[in-house]
Amino acid sequence: MPPLLTEPLYSAHFRLDASGVAGFFGGDEAISAMATAHLYRGRRWFGWYNSPGSYTVAKRYGQLANSRWWNAVFPGVNEEPATTFGLDGKKGPKYIAAYSGTVIEQTGHIASLLESRTKEIKEKTVVETRKTTPTTVTVVEVKNVIVADDLDVPMMSLKHALLACFPIVVSVATCVTCAAFHEWYSFSLILLGIMANGLSCFVFGSAQVVLKTPHPDANSPPGDGIFVTNHGIIVLKGEERDVNAITKGVFVLKMRGGPEYRAVGLCSLLLVAQFVLQLLLIPQAALFGQVMFVSSLAASWMYTLYLSSLEKDKLQAELLFATLEKPQMTKFKLKNRTAAAVFASLILADRPPDSHRKPDSRKILNSIIPNDTEMWRVWRQRVVQQLDLEGVKKFDLLDCNSIEFSLVEEDKALLATLLHDAQQAYDGYKEFSPSRESREKDPVSTGSNALEVPTVGVDLAELEDSIGLQLLFHTPPPASPSVPN
């Protein structure tokens, strides 16, 4: 039966050899686009188009198939699905726990996502201190982490769904057009591309994303601690169970058929077959059929380019924060690192009145400011002594001329400056932490461990300063003030 219409470009002798680009063109974009199949609900149903880069995609994801035969077809390292699809593998900052003593030199992908997210937060306020190297302190309060077998990924937006329909419509239209003009080579190869990419997207996108986190003992101390990053300090506050989701948690991609993942291997094999057939048959098609084939690839490439432009880390961070019940985050900016270290230590020391645990403030300060000179050791000792005290703290009233340490005059002057930085950090902390300030104003009401002092006829501030200096320098207590009957 002759074709219904006369084929355009029928008499042309030029042949467009598209085989050289059919399997390689747009490969990186196609890999990046396939990695979004798990980050949107419904995304797996929108892969029915003739995608470019089939050979590159097959080589990348075919390595998931794990058996002797599949390893021969797709040689390489058999990574975990989460690593292959970009849900794991990044390195996070160092973590120091304030109560449990845990130190993780290099955290994982989840902590890296949190670090990236904190960079996007604007500073709530600037704590006025001496200006040297500005440092931010971001407080993240984690609680009620959702631990489920399948994370609730967001639904594709209407705009995204309409964009996904564009390459599908173009691929189907070019396929039907080739059939109408009896361009069977191009028709069959476009149809094969639609089926191969659609099945692969469905199989890959059917995996479930799970946040796997260890479960600590019920009597574990609080999970509060800090991340030390290049741009600042991140303070984590929460129970050990919730904090573990960030410090030790990992995304896991639960795919059917593991550990062999035969379906993944078959889809990758189909993509390789698509590439080989395109390599052999596209040059045999007429010019019009070749134009239709390239048009379908061009439309698909534009869509995969859009998908690859999406910020995968941002999408993963949104998924993580939904699992963490959208933790409250507040960023403070301090104008020097010394004040930032004290500010972070004060936040970690802020626990409920009935809590009997104290953070290891010395370890926290050492991790932020590891300087190991005699002057810095004196500074840390003085600051830790004040941090461990209940009530109002006085950092800048400490005696820098104490005979306990033999500091040169220059170091004494620097020590006084650094102690003043600590005092400014404390003043800023009181200003922006009203709950803490209210407890410190009334030390008698802070629980059984509070300091009970007489208040009749006595200047409370002077008495607190006197007691603080006694504890620091171990001097004999002053005579008790007379209290009228």
Side-chain angles (χ1 to χ4, degrees):
M1 178 179 177
L4 300 177
L5 300 173
T6 303
E7 177 185 328
L9 306 176
Y10 178 76
S11 58
H13 298 286
F14 177 76
R15 288 292 179 266
L16 178 62
D17 186 1
S19 61
V21 297
F24 298 103
F25 175 72
D28 293 337
E29 292 83 356
I31 289 176
S32 182
M34 194 67 74
T36 64
H38 319 93
L39 303 180
Y40 290 108
R41 197 187 318 162
R43 166 72 178 86
R44 59 177 176 168
W45 299 103
F46 288 87
W48 304 98
Y49 52 85
N50 184 27
S51 177
S54 58
Y55 181 71
T56 308
V57 173
K59 281 185 60 180
R60 171 63 175 168
Y61 295 120
Q63 294 176 357
L64 278 175
N66 186 17
S67 71
R68 182 177 300 178
W69 190 84
W70 289 117
N71 290 340
V73 177
F74 301 107
V77 179
N78 298 117
E79 297 177 332
E80 291 295 323
T83 304
T84 302
F85 285 95
L87 291 170
D88 195 16
K90 290 192 173 183
K91 303 301 181 183
K94 180 179 180 179
Y95 177 74
I96 303 96
Y99 291 87
S100 65
T102 301
V103 176
I104 305 176
E105 291 294 335
Q106 193 171 62
T107 50
H109 191 86
I110 302 296
S112 175
L113 294 177
L114 176 67
E115 180 187 6
S116 300
R117 190 61 175 266
T118 57
K119 294 178 183 178
E120 302 174 3
I121 303 174
K122 294 183 179 180
E123 296 89 356
K124 176 182 178 181
T125 186
V126 177
V127 179
E128 292 299 331
T129 58
R130 180 176 57 92
K131 185 175 182 180
T132 55
T133 304
T135 305
T136 60
V137 177
T138 306
V139 184
V140 182
E141 299 183 20
V142 187
K143 54 185 177 181
N144 302 325
V145 174
I146 300 174
V147 180
D149 293 335
D150 185 12
L151 297 186
D152 188 17
V153 297
M155 179 67 74
M156 288 179 61
S157 64
L158 179 60
K159 174 185 175 182
H160 193 164
L162 292 175
L163 286 173
C165 291
F166 170 69
I168 297 175
V169 171
V170 173
S171 294
V172 172
T174 53
C175 186
V176 172
T177 302
C178 288
F181 290 106
H182 287 194
E183 283 294 334
W184 301 118
Y185 283 124
S186 298
F187 164 79
S188 59
L189 291 177
I190 294 175
L191 181 61
L192 177 61
I194 293 173
M195 298 302 297
N197 191 72
L199 288 173
S200 300
C201 189
F202 178 80
V203 171
F204 297 164
S206 297
Q208 298 175 336
V209 183
V210 178
L211 178 61
K212 187 177 180 180
T213 177
H215 297 281
D217 186 80
N219 297 318
S220 297
D224 300 7
I226 62 169
F227 288 114
V228 181
T229 69
N230 293 330
H231 65 278
I233 304 165
I234 302 173
V235 180
L236 278 184
K237 290 185 69 68
E239 297 302 322
E240 182 79 7
R241 168 185 174 275
D242 299 324
V243 171
N244 278 349
I246 297 176
T247 58
K248 302 176 183 178
V250 292
F251 279 134
V252 175
L253 205 57
K254 296 174 64 176
M255 301 186 72
R256 297 178 182 177
E260 185 177 350
Y261 303 117
R262 186 178 303 171
V264 176
L266 291 174
C267 289
S268 301
L269 199 60
L270 182 60
L271 290 171
V272 171
Q274 174 195 353
F275 164 72
V276 173
L277 290 175
Q278 287 174 350
L279 189 68
L280 297 175
L281 300 182
I282 282 297
Q284 310 303 319
L287 178 60
F288 178 73
Q290 293 177 348
V291 170
M292 291 293 101
F293 177 78
V294 172
S295 298
S296 66
L297 286 182
S300 302
W301 175 75
M302 286 189 287
Y303 177 62
T304 56
L305 192 64
Y306 162 74
L307 289 178
S308 63
S309 68
L310 298 176
E311 298 181 60
K312 309 298 185 302
D313 289 348
K314 188 174 182 179
L315 295 176
Q316 294 177 23
E318 291 177 357
L319 179 60
L320 171 65
F321 273 62
T323 306
L324 300 178
E325 287 288 300
K326 297 182 179 179
Q328 180 180 355
M329 296 193 297
T330 308
K331 179 182 284 189
F332 300 91
K333 184 176 182 180
L334 295 96
K335 295 184 178 180
N336 64 73
R337 194 169 182 84
T338 306
V342 177
F343 192 86
S345 300
L346 287 165
I347 294 173
L348 290 171
D350 188 2
R351 298 296 300 172
D354 57 348
S355 176
H356 300 290
R357 288 188 170 103
K358 290 186 178 181
D360 190 347
S361 299
R362 186 180 298 276
K363 177 182 287 187
I364 297 298
L365 292 173
N366 274 330
S367 62
I368 301 174
I369 305 177
N371 306 49
D372 194 26
T373 64
E374 184 178 10
M375 189 279 301
W376 280 106
R377 289 193 292 269
V378 175
W379 177 83
R380 270 191 289 269
Q381 178 177 339
R382 295 291 196 256
V383 171
V384 169
Q385 287 172 338
Q386 285 294 305
L387 289 172
D388 289 343
L389 289 178
E390 295 288 344
V392 178
K393 308 179 192 308
K394 298 291 184 180
F395 293 93
D396 56 355
L397 293 182
L398 303 180
D399 184 9
C400 297
N401 296 309
S402 173
I403 61 174
E404 297 178 39
F405 302 96
S406 56
L407 297 178
V408 298
E409 292 301 322
E410 292 81 359
D411 284 348
K412 290 179 181 179
L414 179 57
L415 177 59
T417 300
L418 297 176
L419 289 173
H420 184 63
D421 291 340
Q423 184 64 40
Q424 287 183 314
Y426 175 63
D427 294 339
Y429 170 75
K430 288 194 300 180
E431 180 180 354
F432 300 109
S433 299
S435 60
R436 176 74 174 184
E437 184 182 16
S438 63
R439 293 202 301 270
E440 291 178 341
K441 284 183 177 179
D442 187 10
V444 178
S445 63
T446 57
S448 59
N449 294 331
L451 181 64
E452 297 183 1
V453 295
T455 58
V456 181
V458 180
D459 188 333
L460 183 59
E462 292 181 0
L463 184 58
E464 287 173 337
D465 293 344
S466 175
I467 294 173
L469 292 175
Q470 291 171 33
L471 294 174
L472 288 176
F473 304 115
H474 307 286
T475 57
S480 301
S482 59
V483 181
N485 294 329

